Amino acid sequence: MNGDLDDWLAPRQRAATEPTAEELFAKTHGALRCGGHLRWLGRTAAALAFLTVGYGAGLATVPTETRTVIVEVLAAPIPVPEPVPPPEVVPEPTATQLEMRAELSDDPVEIAALYRRAGDQYLNTDRDYPRATRCYRLHLRALNRPNPAPEPDDSWLLASLKPQSR
Amino acid sequence: MTLPAGSDVEAALVRAAGRGDAAAWRHLLEANAPRVAAYVRWRCAGLPDLTADAIQQTWLEAARHLGRFDPARGSFSDWIGGIVRKVMLAEVRKWRRYRYRHRSFDGGPEPGRTPAEATGEAEAVVRALAELPAEYEEILRAKYLDGRSVRDIAESLRISPKAVESRLTRAREAFRTAFPQLGVET
């Protein structure tokens, strides 16, 4: 080895081949911008990769259960007519019931009409001539008319009793 | 043009340059280029072509990796000094790989010495400095390149002057150990 250690470690003189600051700037500025762009691209690519992986993982972990599709069908309500209850059939009172109502009534006209209907039923429905005769006589008594004239709708029994009531 | 090392201005310049601001990068480069060149030249033992390549490679690496600079961990000068060390290691490895194809780093002879002698010793210095531990290289640089006093080095390293002298002694011994082994064999 030639020379002393101090000589080898001493500062060196600048060589003519060394690049100047201006030359260094010209050669490195492009790398600086490229480096910035590469960093931006790298970050963007990393973000996209992260999102893609996350999306893929999300798809992979979605439970495969059957999806229930609820279809709601909206329909206008069709008016349904209220069922009209059949007219209440009032059973025709029996002759006995009519005779009872006549006995409880205070109205002479109503009493006469009820005994008339009771007499007709006894006669036409029940063929019960004695009770029909009795109801017809009570009818004529309730009418309280002297010489009642026979009417076209009078039954044969009532028509026969009218002359007797004079 | 000087910048206070480790200052807020320097940190702002680095941030602006990292965003692609050409003026900021030019300012940083011009402020630090002389010191970086002196360091590279010292590490290259004055071999001109190697020095030129290493300077350019250092600034190229700095431009590419400017985003990695952290002002909280040290000054820009210290950061780029680290890049110089990495570049020099790479150059030495490259030289080892192709030593038979590329016999020397180039360089002119000193007066009274043959080109082969001067180039071989310079290459040995380059390799010896590259082999040294970082703390030895750092203290040899402060002493021989920057010409700082022991007291000044002690203050910057926050150790006693006696510790500086001790470390300097060990660094010289390490360099002497590495230098003949690397240089003579070629």
Side-chain angles (χ1 to χ4, degrees):
Chain A
M1 181 191 331
N2 294 323
D4 189 57
L5 182 144
D6 290 347
D7 293 335
W8 283 114
L9 295 180
R12 305 288 176 164
Q13 294 297 316
R14 185 181 184 281
T17 53
E18 288 181 18
T20 63
E22 190 61 33
E23 290 169 340
L24 286 172
F25 175 77
K27 289 178 180 175
T28 57
H29 181 228
L32 182 73
R33 295 197 316 186
C34 184
H37 293 158
L38 285 177
R39 278 194 297 278
W40 181 85
L41 281 174
R43 288 172 189 158
T44 306
L48 284 175
F50 180 77
L51 289 174
T52 305
V53 169
Y55 181 72
L59 286 181
T61 56
V62 166
T64 56
E65 62 184 13
T66 305
R67 294 181 179 178
T68 303
V69 179
I70 300 175
V71 179
E72 187 176 356
V73 178
L74 298 178
I78 300 172
V80 178
E82 286 283 333
V84 179
E88 190 175 350
V89 178
V90 180
E92 183 70 18
T94 61
T96 306
Q97 290 170 337
L98 291 171
E99 190 177 2
M100 182 66 69
R101 286 166 58 184
E103 289 174 359
L104 295 175
S105 178
D106 295 326
D107 182 8
V109 177
E110 186 183 20
I111 291 171
L114 285 171
Y115 276 129
R116 165 72 186 266
R117 288 173 58 192
D120 288 341
Q121 282 205 22
Y122 279 134
L123 176 66
N124 299 320
T125 305
D126 300 333
R127 304 287 190 243
D128 189 344
Y129 304 115
R131 290 182 178 175
T133 301
R134 177 170 51 88
C135 286
Y136 281 144
R137 284 179 178 162
L138 292 172
H139 161 68
L140 292 173
R141 187 183 299 172
L143 282 178
N144 195 21
R145 292 179 188 170
N147 302 318
E151 300 291 333
D153 56 348
D154 286 349
S155 64
W156 60 271
L157 182 59
L158 180 59
S160 64
L161 290 174
K162 281 185 176 177
Q164 295 176 18
S165 65
R166 296 173 185 170
Chain B
M1 184 183 306
T2 57
L3 276 176
S7 65
D8 291 341
V9 176
E10 185 181 74
L13 273 175
V14 173
R15 282 197 299 272
R19 291 193 298 267
D21 189 317
W25 178 241
R26 182 191 293 275
H27 201 89
L28 269 176
L29 201 153
E30 290 177 349
N32 292 277
R35 181 174 168 80
V36 170
Y39 180 38
V40 173
R41 206 178 297 132
W42 181 72
R43 287 294 304 262
C44 294
L47 294 171
D49 290 348
L50 179 63
T51 301
D53 289 346
I55 288 173
Q56 182 173 317
Q57 192 61 29
T58 296
W59 284 105
L60 209 53
E61 290 294 315
R64 286 173 180 161
H65 304 297
L66 197 58
R68 297 180 186 174
F69 169 65
D70 182 6
R73 298 176 62 183
S75 67
F76 182 76
S77 177
D78 292 340
W79 179 71
I80 205 166
I83 294 178
V84 171
R85 284 190 283 275
K86 290 177 184 172
V87 167
M88 291 310 302
L89 274 176
E91 290 294 330
V92 169
R93 289 196 192 105
K94 193 194 310 178
W95 177 75
R96 280 177 177 167
R97 205 174 297 136
Y98 300 106
R99 61 181 304 182
Y100 294 109
R101 195 175 299 172
H102 307 279
R103 182 63 187 83
S104 69
F105 290 133
D106 196 8
E110 293 178 2
R113 301 171 62 197
T114 63
E117 283 176 342
T119 302
E121 289 174 356
E123 291 172 356
V125 172
V126 172
R127 295 173 62 183
L129 285 174
E131 295 290 333
L132 284 180
E135 61 173 6
Y136 289 171
E137 191 265 356
E138 181 183 28
I139 205 163
L140 289 176
R141 175 187 176 189
K143 174 67 178 174
Y144 291 97
L145 175 63
D146 299 336
R148 296 166 64 185
S149 66
V150 171
R151 181 179 297 274
D152 188 25
I153 297 170
E155 286 178 359
S156 64
L157 294 180
R158 297 181 180 177
I159 57 178
S160 67
K162 196 170 183 179
V164 171
E165 289 177 352
S166 174
R167 190 178 294 182
L168 262 174
T169 302
R170 292 198 302 272
R172 289 191 191 101
E173 287 301 316
F175 182 81
R176 285 195 180 95
T177 303
F179 187 83
Q181 289 179 349
L182 297 170
V184 171
E185 66 180 3
T186 59

